Amino acid sequence: MQTLWSDLDHYIESHLLPSDPALDQIIDNTNQHGLSNHLAVAPNQGMLLQMLIQMNRCKRVLELGTFAGYSTIWLAKGLPQDGYLLTIEGRESHALVAKANIEQAHIDTHIDLKMGMAADVLNALPVDTAPFDFIFIDADKGSYPEYLELTLKFSRSGSIIVLDNVIRNGDILDPHNHKPSITGIRQTFEALKNHERIASCTALQTVGSKGHDGFAIAIVK
Ligand code: DHB
Ligand code: MG
């Protein structure tokens, strides 16, 4: 099935997505640094995130887990010139590649890349930090429950939270799988269920060039 899913993603990309040399260059540069682009969002997923930002006229975006900056550029391109994007990456080697990739993309909107564990960076933000309109959680999966609570502190009524990789090829249903990355996702589903600060929430399974995975999407109450 994977070949068919990948072929269909390429079909979608070639018909519907604009060719973007800046994004192609990020993929090349990431490969050249020996990092696997498998951890990045697929182009059609990046476009979905960008469109969600545009549909909701978001101005402030928070991303946890920059990796090499590929999703960051998709998110940033959904923002107006006076927008602001804060992206946080915990691994220095990845942050350095992301920094170069973001600089090369020449994005008009202000992108702030902070190196450090997402929880530490968020806890160190000034208390008067304006809320973020759109939050993309894509860092270490074992910490998703903590990231959900932390990012809620930096959100407002109507903020959108998207969580990547919440299906993991179905592993979340495997009772024998107790990896922190999987238990973290299960705990996140439990936390999202009837959460007092979440107005609506759903999750969608995705198949494509990145395998079988999914997004969860929540609107803050
Ligand atoms: C992994 C992490 C991701 O954020 C992703 O989109 C795909 C895979 C991983 O750690 O394996
Ligand atoms: Mg991801």
Side-chain angles (χ1 to χ4, degrees), residues 2-55:
Q2 183 57 60
T3 306
L4 178 62
W5 296 343
S6 295
D7 288 349
L8 286 165
D9 259 3
H10 291 140
Y11 181 88
I12 293 167
E13 281 166 42
S14 62
H15 285 79
L16 306 182
L17 303 192
S19 65
D20 187 333
L23 285 164
D24 295 343
Q25 198 180 14
I26 288 184
I27 293 177
D28 289 346
N29 193 40
T30 306
N31 280 329
Q32 276 168 25
H33 282 86
L35 303 182
S36 164
N37 276 301
H38 194 75
L39 304 188
V41 295
N44 51 347
Q45 296 174 335
M47 180 56 108
L48 173 68
L49 299 173
Q50 182 178 113
M51 288 167 67
L52 288 171
I53 288 170
Q54 290 170 330
M55 284 177 208

Side-chain angles (χ1 to χ4, degrees), residues 38-39 138 141 164-165 168:
H38 194 75
L39 304 188
D138 192 22
K141 318 306 167 200
D164 196 23
N165 310 112
R168 308 314 317 256

Side-chain angles (χ1 to χ4, degrees), residues 128-206:
D128 61 350
T129 299
F132 291 93
D133 308 308
F134 186 93
I135 295 159
F136 183 49
I137 300 180
D138 192 22
D140 54 303
K141 318 306 167 200
S143 301
Y144 271 28
E146 182 186 9
Y147 295 154
L148 175 65
E149 291 307 317
L150 271 172
T151 53
L152 278 167
K153 287 190 186 165
F154 294 95
S155 65
R156 56 165 172 85
S157 175
S159 293
I160 298 157
I161 303 178
V162 176
L163 302 102
D164 196 23
N165 310 112
V166 299
I167 299 296
R168 308 314 317 256
N169 198 32
D171 288 354
I172 60 164
L173 287 190
D174 176 359
H176 303 295
N177 194 324
H178 300 293
K179 283 188 202 156
S181 59
I182 298 300
T183 57
I185 302 278
R186 286 193 200 112
Q187 284 166 17
T188 306
F189 272 93
E190 291 299 326
L192 287 166
K193 184 171 149 186
N194 300 322
H195 195 295
E196 60 176 9
R197 292 224 39 222
I198 302 290
S200 319
C201 189
T202 189
L204 290 177
Q205 301 181 63
T206 54

